[in-house]
Amino acid sequence: MGLYPLVMELTDRPCLVIGGGAVSERKVLNLLESGAKITIVSPQVTRTLADLALASQVTWWRREYRESDLEGMVLVFAATNDPDLNARIAATCHQAGILVNVADNLELCTFNVPAVVRRGDLQIAISTAGKSPALARQLRKQIEAEIGPEYGLWVDFLGELRPFLKTVWPHDPQRREELLRRLTGDEILFRLVARGKEELAKERVKQCLSLPPV
């Protein structure tokens, strides 16, 4: 059976990272981009993690893991250098219904973290179900070369169109969807937005409003 892809809102939600090495550092840096409220449990951490704690961007409990640390957590990352401890953490999470990711042990994970290309609010996730992280990273680099930062501007522009079109055709959702589909595929409109010519882009939208539906 395949995994279910999911985009999760983590802003200000508590997430726990157990372990302080390079793997934990990667997990924490990814979580920071989502705005999560991050707690690290480990007697020692990398310099980057220590600096983040010093800057109050994460909370660092400078000690060994305790089972009570899991209380109230939305996501847990078990990334210690002790496989037996990671397995015990996973078992407790499974019993408590807490989503857990275990470093280097796919069978114990209830979720995996994909390789992600971020362009503003546009996120493209690549997953191999944990079978080949190297391939996921390779594909991410290929997509990063194809999808530039202009796509972040494009997503913002298209996002502003939806409420605007609702004011134009408040009772005609089918017409709105047809026009949105047309505008999304408009190469000229895309290039205007990508070059920062937003006013000209808005004028083109107004011109398109008079076009008949396909």
Side-chain angles (χ1 to χ4, degrees):
M1 296 180 65
L3 297 175
Y4 184 75
L6 178 70
V7 179
M8 190 174 186
E9 171 60 66
L10 288 179
T11 303
D12 293 326
R13 304 190 74 185
C15 299
L16 181 67
V17 179
I18 305 166
V23 174
S24 294
E25 182 179 306
R26 291 197 299 272
K27 305 297 186 184
V28 168
L29 293 177
N30 285 332
L31 284 170
L32 281 173
E33 294 192 36
S34 70
K37 185 178 180 181
I38 306 165
T39 299
I40 305 168
V41 178
S42 180
Q44 297 180 332
V45 297
T46 66
R47 170 55 61 185
T48 296
L49 293 178
D51 289 342
L52 289 172
L54 188 63
S56 299
Q57 292 185 265
V58 301
T59 299
W60 176 20
W61 293 340
R62 195 170 183 172
R63 56 168 174 74
E64 298 291 346
Y65 157 79
R66 301 170 187 166
E67 188 172 309
S68 60
D69 295 337
L70 301 177
E71 295 178 5
M73 296 297 170
V74 174
L75 296 181
V76 172
F77 295 82
T80 76
N81 57 6
D82 183 343
D84 291 335
L85 175 58
N86 289 342
R88 290 198 302 273
I89 294 168
T92 304
C93 288
H94 295 167
Q95 293 174 358
I98 302 171
L99 295 175
V100 61
N101 178 273
V102 181
D104 297 324
N105 196 323
L106 180 62
E107 294 181 356
L108 295 179
C109 296
T110 50
F111 75 95
N112 295 314
V113 181
V116 177
V117 177
R118 290 184 173 89
R119 298 291 185 256
D121 284 336
L122 174 64
Q123 295 191 43
I124 304 171
I126 307 110
S127 173
T128 60
K131 294 179 179 179
S132 180
L135 176 59
R137 289 193 293 269
Q138 178 183 324
L139 293 174
R140 181 190 64 196
K141 291 180 180 179
Q142 293 177 14
I143 294 173
E144 285 175 337
E146 293 282 339
I147 306 296
E150 66 273 12
Y151 279 87
L153 299 174
W154 185 228
V155 167
D156 290 341
F157 185 83
L158 293 174
E160 293 174 0
L161 283 181
R162 296 186 69 86
F164 169 69
L165 293 178
K166 283 184 179 180
T167 65
V168 178
W169 290 299
H171 305 299
D172 195 345
Q174 182 176 354
R175 186 171 177 84
R176 291 199 306 266
E177 288 304 314
E178 289 174 350
L179 186 57
L180 278 171
R181 177 168 51 83
R182 176 177 293 174
L183 293 174
T184 300
D186 190 319
E187 185 66 24
I188 295 175
L189 184 61
F190 170 74
R191 292 184 182 278
L192 288 173
V193 173
R195 294 170 182 171
K197 300 182 182 297
E198 188 169 333
E199 292 305 315
L200 289 177
K202 290 178 179 178
E203 288 300 318
R204 181 165 180 80
V205 169
K206 292 177 182 179
Q207 295 172 8
C208 291
L209 293 182
S210 62
L211 294 176
V214 294

PDB file of all heavy atoms in Angstrom, residues 151-172:
ATOM      1  N   TYR A 151       8.174  31.537  -9.604  1.00  0.00           N
ATOM      2  CA  TYR A 151       6.950  30.777  -9.374  1.00  0.00           C
ATOM      3  C   TYR A 151       6.315  31.123  -8.027  1.00  0.00           C
ATOM      4  O   TYR A 151       5.107  30.962  -7.853  1.00  0.00           O
ATOM      5  CB  TYR A 151       7.218  29.278  -9.473  1.00  0.00           C
ATOM      6  CG  TYR A 151       7.240  28.793 -10.900  1.00  0.00           C
ATOM      7  CD1 TYR A 151       8.403  28.836 -11.653  1.00  0.00           C
ATOM      8  CD2 TYR A 151       6.089  28.314 -11.511  1.00  0.00           C
ATOM      9  CE1 TYR A 151       8.431  28.414 -12.977  1.00  0.00           C
ATOM     10  CE2 TYR A 151       6.095  27.885 -12.829  1.00  0.00           C
ATOM     11  CZ  TYR A 151       7.271  27.943 -13.559  1.00  0.00           C
ATOM     12  OH  TYR A 151       7.285  27.532 -14.865  1.00  0.00           O
ATOM     13  N   GLY A 152       7.118  31.595  -7.091  1.00  0.00           N
ATOM     14  CA  GLY A 152       6.552  32.078  -5.833  1.00  0.00           C
ATOM     15  C   GLY A 152       5.695  33.307  -6.068  1.00  0.00           C
ATOM     16  O   GLY A 152       4.589  33.443  -5.509  1.00  0.00           O
ATOM     17  N   LEU A 153       6.173  34.234  -6.915  1.00  0.00           N
ATOM     18  CA  LEU A 153       5.387  35.414  -7.279  1.00  0.00           C
ATOM     19  C   LEU A 153       4.117  35.020  -8.024  1.00  0.00           C
ATOM     20  O   LEU A 153       3.053  35.610  -7.826  1.00  0.00           O
ATOM     21  CB  LEU A 153       6.234  36.338  -8.163  1.00  0.00           C
ATOM     22  CG  LEU A 153       7.532  36.891  -7.555  1.00  0.00           C
ATOM     23  CD1 LEU A 153       8.318  37.667  -8.610  1.00  0.00           C
ATOM     24  CD2 LEU A 153       7.228  37.775  -6.355  1.00  0.00           C
ATOM     25  N   TRP A 154       4.242  34.021  -8.883  1.00  0.00           N
ATOM     26  CA  TRP A 154       3.118  33.562  -9.677  1.00  0.00           C
ATOM     27  C   TRP A 154       2.014  32.990  -8.790  1.00  0.00           C
ATOM     28  O   TRP A 154       0.830  33.279  -8.988  1.00  0.00           O
ATOM     29  CB  TRP A 154       3.618  32.523 -10.676  1.00  0.00           C
ATOM     30  CG  TRP A 154       2.656  31.981 -11.681  1.00  0.00           C
ATOM     31  CD1 TRP A 154       2.465  30.661 -11.983  1.00  0.00           C
ATOM     32  CD2 TRP A 154       1.779  32.705 -12.559  1.00  0.00           C
ATOM     33  NE1 TRP A 154       1.535  30.521 -12.983  1.00  0.00           N
ATOM     34  CE2 TRP A 154       1.094  31.768 -13.358  1.00  0.00           C
ATOM     35  CE3 TRP A 154       1.515  34.054 -12.739  1.00  0.00           C
ATOM     36  CZ2 TRP A 154       0.155  32.128 -14.317  1.00  0.00           C
ATOM     37  CZ3 TRP A 154       0.568  34.426 -13.695  1.00  0.00           C
ATOM     38  CH2 TRP A 154      -0.092  33.470 -14.466  1.00  0.00           C
ATOM     39  N   VAL A 155       2.397  32.201  -7.804  1.00  0.00           N
ATOM     40  CA  VAL A 155       1.407  31.636  -6.880  1.00  0.00           C
ATOM     41  C   VAL A 155       0.691  32.750  -6.117  1.00  0.00           C
ATOM     42  O   VAL A 155      -0.531  32.722  -5.945  1.00  0.00           O
ATOM     43  CB  VAL A 155       2.075  30.653  -5.901  1.00  0.00           C
ATOM     44  CG1 VAL A 155       1.137  30.301  -4.752  1.00  0.00           C
ATOM     45  CG2 VAL A 155       2.497  29.391  -6.618  1.00  0.00           C
ATOM     46  N   ASP A 156       1.448  33.755  -5.663  1.00  0.00           N
ATOM     47  CA  ASP A 156       0.834  34.876  -4.943  1.00  0.00           C
ATOM     48  C   ASP A 156      -0.174  35.609  -5.828  1.00  0.00           C
ATOM     49  O   ASP A 156      -1.271  35.975  -5.385  1.00  0.00           O
ATOM     50  CB  ASP A 156       1.905  35.858  -4.466  1.00  0.00           C
ATOM     51  CG  ASP A 156       2.756  35.294  -3.342  1.00  0.00           C
ATOM     52  OD1 ASP A 156       2.323  34.328  -2.688  1.00  0.00           O
ATOM     53  OD2 ASP A 156       3.861  35.826  -3.112  1.00  0.00           O
ATOM     54  N   PHE A 157       0.216  35.833  -7.080  1.00  0.00           N
ATOM     55  CA  PHE A 157      -0.670  36.544  -8.013  1.00  0.00           C
ATOM     56  C   PHE A 157      -1.947  35.744  -8.265  1.00  0.00           C
ATOM     57  O   PHE A 157      -3.058  36.292  -8.208  1.00  0.00           O
ATOM     58  CB  PHE A 157       0.070  36.795  -9.330  1.00  0.00           C
ATOM     59  CG  PHE A 157      -0.705  37.626 -10.314  1.00  0.00           C
ATOM     60  CD1 PHE A 157      -0.701  39.016 -10.216  1.00  0.00           C
ATOM     61  CD2 PHE A 157      -1.427  37.030 -11.331  1.00  0.00           C
ATOM     62  CE1 PHE A 157      -1.423  39.790 -11.117  1.00  0.00           C
ATOM     63  CE2 PHE A 157      -2.159  37.796 -12.231  1.00  0.00           C
ATOM     64  CZ  PHE A 157      -2.147  39.184 -12.127  1.00  0.00           C
ATOM     65  N   LEU A 158      -1.801  34.455  -8.526  1.00  0.00           N
ATOM     66  CA  LEU A 158      -2.975  33.622  -8.759  1.00  0.00           C
ATOM     67  C   LEU A 158      -3.858  33.541  -7.522  1.00  0.00           C
ATOM     68  O   LEU A 158      -5.088  33.471  -7.625  1.00  0.00           O
ATOM     69  CB  LEU A 158      -2.534  32.216  -9.186  1.00  0.00           C
ATOM     70  CG  LEU A 158      -1.845  32.111 -10.550  1.00  0.00           C
ATOM     71  CD1 LEU A 158      -1.343  30.683 -10.774  1.00  0.00           C
ATOM     72  CD2 LEU A 158      -2.769  32.539 -11.673  1.00  0.00           C
ATOM     73  N   GLY A 159      -3.222  33.563  -6.343  1.00  0.00           N
ATOM     74  CA  GLY A 159      -3.995  33.535  -5.109  1.00  0.00           C
ATOM     75  C   GLY A 159      -4.849  34.773  -4.933  1.00  0.00           C
ATOM     76  O   GLY A 159      -5.956  34.710  -4.370  1.00  0.00           O
ATOM     77  N   GLU A 160      -4.363  35.923  -5.424  1.00  0.00           N
ATOM     78  CA  GLU A 160      -5.137  37.157  -5.337  1.00  0.00           C
ATOM     79  C   GLU A 160      -6.299  37.170  -6.329  1.00  0.00           C
ATOM     80  O   GLU A 160      -7.287  37.888  -6.128  1.00  0.00           O
ATOM     81  CB  GLU A 160      -4.220  38.360  -5.603  1.00  0.00           C
ATOM     82  CG  GLU A 160      -3.176  38.583  -4.520  1.00  0.00           C
ATOM     83  CD  GLU A 160      -2.194  39.679  -4.884  1.00  0.00           C
ATOM     84  OE1 GLU A 160      -2.349  40.266  -5.992  1.00  0.00           O
ATOM     85  OE2 GLU A 160      -1.286  39.955  -4.085  1.00  0.00           O
ATOM     86  N   LEU A 161      -6.177  36.394  -7.401  1.00  0.00           N
ATOM     87  CA  LEU A 161      -7.228  36.373  -8.415  1.00  0.00           C
ATOM     88  C   LEU A 161      -8.513  35.714  -7.925  1.00  0.00           C
ATOM     89  O   LEU A 161      -9.613  36.106  -8.328  1.00  0.00           O
ATOM     90  CB  LEU A 161      -6.745  35.635  -9.664  1.00  0.00           C
ATOM     91  CG  LEU A 161      -5.799  36.381 -10.589  1.00  0.00           C
ATOM     92  CD1 LEU A 161      -5.439  35.508 -11.782  1.00  0.00           C
ATOM     93  CD2 LEU A 161      -6.409  37.687 -11.069  1.00  0.00           C
ATOM     94  N   ARG A 162      -8.371  34.721  -7.081  1.00  0.00           N
ATOM     95  CA  ARG A 162      -9.560  33.952  -6.666  1.00  0.00           C
ATOM     96  C   ARG A 162     -10.605  34.851  -5.992  1.00  0.00           C
ATOM     97  O   ARG A 162     -11.771  34.855  -6.412  1.00  0.00           O
ATOM     98  CB  ARG A 162      -9.159  32.798  -5.757  1.00  0.00           C
ATOM     99  CG  ARG A 162      -8.276  31.766  -6.438  1.00  0.00           C
ATOM    100  CD  ARG A 162      -8.012  30.568  -5.540  1.00  0.00           C
ATOM    101  NE  ARG A 162      -9.211  29.794  -5.337  1.00  0.00           N
ATOM    102  CZ  ARG A 162      -9.622  28.830  -6.158  1.00  0.00           C
ATOM    103  NH1 ARG A 162      -8.922  28.537  -7.227  1.00  0.00           N
ATOM    104  NH2 ARG A 162     -10.732  28.167  -5.897  1.00  0.00           N
ATOM    105  N   PRO A 163     -10.255  35.613  -4.950  1.00  0.00           N
ATOM    106  CA  PRO A 163     -11.287  36.483  -4.342  1.00  0.00           C
ATOM    107  C   PRO A 163     -11.770  37.573  -5.294  1.00  0.00           C
ATOM    108  O   PRO A 163     -12.933  37.977  -5.238  1.00  0.00           O
ATOM    109  CB  PRO A 163     -10.575  37.079  -3.123  1.00  0.00           C
ATOM    110  CG  PRO A 163      -9.122  36.927  -3.393  1.00  0.00           C
ATOM    111  CD  PRO A 163      -8.986  35.682  -4.208  1.00  0.00           C
ATOM    112  N   PHE A 164     -10.878  38.050  -6.197  1.00  0.00           N
ATOM    113  CA  PHE A 164     -11.285  39.065  -7.166  1.00  0.00           C
ATOM    114  C   PHE A 164     -12.360  38.521  -8.096  1.00  0.00           C
ATOM    115  O   PHE A 164     -13.386  39.162  -8.346  1.00  0.00           O
ATOM    116  CB  PHE A 164     -10.078  39.533  -7.971  1.00  0.00           C
ATOM    117  CG  PHE A 164     -10.433  40.386  -9.163  1.00  0.00           C
ATOM    118  CD1 PHE A 164     -10.939  41.660  -8.984  1.00  0.00           C
ATOM    119  CD2 PHE A 164     -10.285  39.897 -10.454  1.00  0.00           C
ATOM    120  CE1 PHE A 164     -11.288  42.453 -10.079  1.00  0.00           C
ATOM    121  CE2 PHE A 164     -10.616  40.670 -11.550  1.00  0.00           C
ATOM    122  CZ  PHE A 164     -11.121  41.960 -11.363  1.00  0.00           C
ATOM    123  N   LEU A 165     -12.154  37.309  -8.609  1.00  0.00           N
ATOM    124  CA  LEU A 165     -13.124  36.723  -9.531  1.00  0.00           C
ATOM    125  C   LEU A 165     -14.441  36.401  -8.836  1.00  0.00           C
ATOM    126  O   LEU A 165     -15.501  36.404  -9.467  1.00  0.00           O
ATOM    127  CB  LEU A 165     -12.541  35.466 -10.175  1.00  0.00           C
ATOM    128  CG  LEU A 165     -11.363  35.692 -11.132  1.00  0.00           C
ATOM    129  CD1 LEU A 165     -10.856  34.371 -11.668  1.00  0.00           C
ATOM    130  CD2 LEU A 165     -11.765  36.615 -12.262  1.00  0.00           C
ATOM    131  N   LYS A 166     -14.391  36.145  -7.534  1.00  0.00           N
ATOM    132  CA  LYS A 166     -15.628  35.894  -6.801  1.00  0.00           C
ATOM    133  C   LYS A 166     -16.496  37.150  -6.749  1.00  0.00           C
ATOM    134  O   LYS A 166     -17.725  37.055  -6.691  1.00  0.00           O
ATOM    135  CB  LYS A 166     -15.316  35.410  -5.381  1.00  0.00           C
ATOM    136  CG  LYS A 166     -14.873  33.959  -5.321  1.00  0.00           C
ATOM    137  CD  LYS A 166     -14.667  33.505  -3.878  1.00  0.00           C
ATOM    138  CE  LYS A 166     -14.257  32.044  -3.837  1.00  0.00           C
ATOM    139  NZ  LYS A 166     -14.041  31.569  -2.452  1.00  0.00           N
ATOM    140  N   THR A 167     -15.841  38.323  -6.750  1.00  0.00           N
ATOM    141  CA  THR A 167     -16.616  39.569  -6.771  1.00  0.00           C
ATOM    142  C   THR A 167     -17.195  39.833  -8.160  1.00  0.00           C
ATOM    143  O   THR A 167     -18.240  40.465  -8.281  1.00  0.00           O
ATOM    144  CB  THR A 167     -15.745  40.763  -6.352  1.00  0.00           C
ATOM    145  OG1 THR A 167     -14.698  40.964  -7.315  1.00  0.00           O
ATOM    146  CG2 THR A 167     -15.129  40.533  -4.981  1.00  0.00           C
ATOM    147  N   VAL A 168     -16.512  39.365  -9.204  1.00  0.00           N
ATOM    148  CA  VAL A 168     -16.983  39.571 -10.575  1.00  0.00           C
ATOM    149  C   VAL A 168     -18.132  38.620 -10.894  1.00  0.00           C
ATOM    150  O   VAL A 168     -19.151  39.020 -11.479  1.00  0.00           O
ATOM    151  CB  VAL A 168     -15.826  39.379 -11.577  1.00  0.00           C
ATOM    152  CG1 VAL A 168     -16.330  39.548 -13.011  1.00  0.00           C
ATOM    153  CG2 VAL A 168     -14.701  40.368 -11.296  1.00  0.00           C
ATOM    154  N   TRP A 169     -17.958  37.330 -10.553  1.00  0.00           N
ATOM    155  CA  TRP A 169     -18.992  36.324 -10.790  1.00  0.00           C
ATOM    156  C   TRP A 169     -19.300  35.577  -9.488  1.00  0.00           C
ATOM    157  O   TRP A 169     -18.894  34.429  -9.296  1.00  0.00           O
ATOM    158  CB  TRP A 169     -18.540  35.332 -11.862  1.00  0.00           C
ATOM    159  CG  TRP A 169     -18.485  35.917 -13.228  1.00  0.00           C
ATOM    160  CD1 TRP A 169     -19.510  36.446 -13.950  1.00  0.00           C
ATOM    161  CD2 TRP A 169     -17.321  36.052 -14.038  1.00  0.00           C
ATOM    162  NE1 TRP A 169     -19.064  36.900 -15.160  1.00  0.00           N
ATOM    163  CE2 TRP A 169     -17.724  36.666 -15.248  1.00  0.00           C
ATOM    164  CE3 TRP A 169     -15.978  35.720 -13.879  1.00  0.00           C
ATOM    165  CZ2 TRP A 169     -16.839  36.958 -16.268  1.00  0.00           C
ATOM    166  CZ3 TRP A 169     -15.094  35.996 -14.890  1.00  0.00           C
ATOM    167  CH2 TRP A 169     -15.518  36.607 -16.071  1.00  0.00           C
ATOM    168  N   PRO A 170     -19.990  36.210  -8.560  1.00  0.00           N
ATOM    169  CA  PRO A 170     -20.231  35.578  -7.257  1.00  0.00           C
ATOM    170  C   PRO A 170     -21.105  34.325  -7.326  1.00  0.00           C
ATOM    171  O   PRO A 170     -21.039  33.488  -6.431  1.00  0.00           O
ATOM    172  CB  PRO A 170     -20.921  36.690  -6.454  1.00  0.00           C
ATOM    173  CG  PRO A 170     -21.511  37.589  -7.488  1.00  0.00           C
ATOM    174  CD  PRO A 170     -20.579  37.551  -8.653  1.00  0.00           C
ATOM    175  N   HIS A 171     -21.910  34.207  -8.387  1.00  0.00           N
ATOM    176  CA  HIS A 171     -22.846  33.085  -8.467  1.00  0.00           C
ATOM    177  C   HIS A 171     -22.550  32.163  -9.652  1.00  0.00           C
ATOM    178  O   HIS A 171     -23.429  31.415 -10.073  1.00  0.00           O
ATOM    179  CB  HIS A 171     -24.270  33.627  -8.584  1.00  0.00           C
ATOM    180  CG  HIS A 171     -24.650  34.576  -7.491  1.00  0.00           C
ATOM    181  ND1 HIS A 171     -24.666  34.220  -6.163  1.00  0.00           N
ATOM    182  CD2 HIS A 171     -24.991  35.893  -7.532  1.00  0.00           C
ATOM    183  CE1 HIS A 171     -25.018  35.260  -5.425  1.00  0.00           C
ATOM    184  NE2 HIS A 171     -25.222  36.288  -6.232  1.00  0.00           N
ATOM    185  N   ASP A 172     -21.338  32.237 -10.162  1.00  0.00           N
ATOM    186  CA  ASP A 172     -20.988  31.414 -11.324  1.00  0.00           C
ATOM    187  C   ASP A 172     -19.624  30.751 -11.105  1.00  0.00           C
ATOM    188  O   ASP A 172     -18.632  31.113 -11.736  1.00  0.00           O
ATOM    189  CB  ASP A 172     -20.963  32.278 -12.586  1.00  0.00           C
ATOM    190  CG  ASP A 172     -20.977  31.449 -13.867  1.00  0.00           C
ATOM    191  OD1 ASP A 172     -20.720  30.237 -13.767  1.00  0.00           O
ATOM    192  OD2 ASP A 172     -21.229  32.015 -14.943  1.00  0.00           O
TER     193      ASP A 172
END
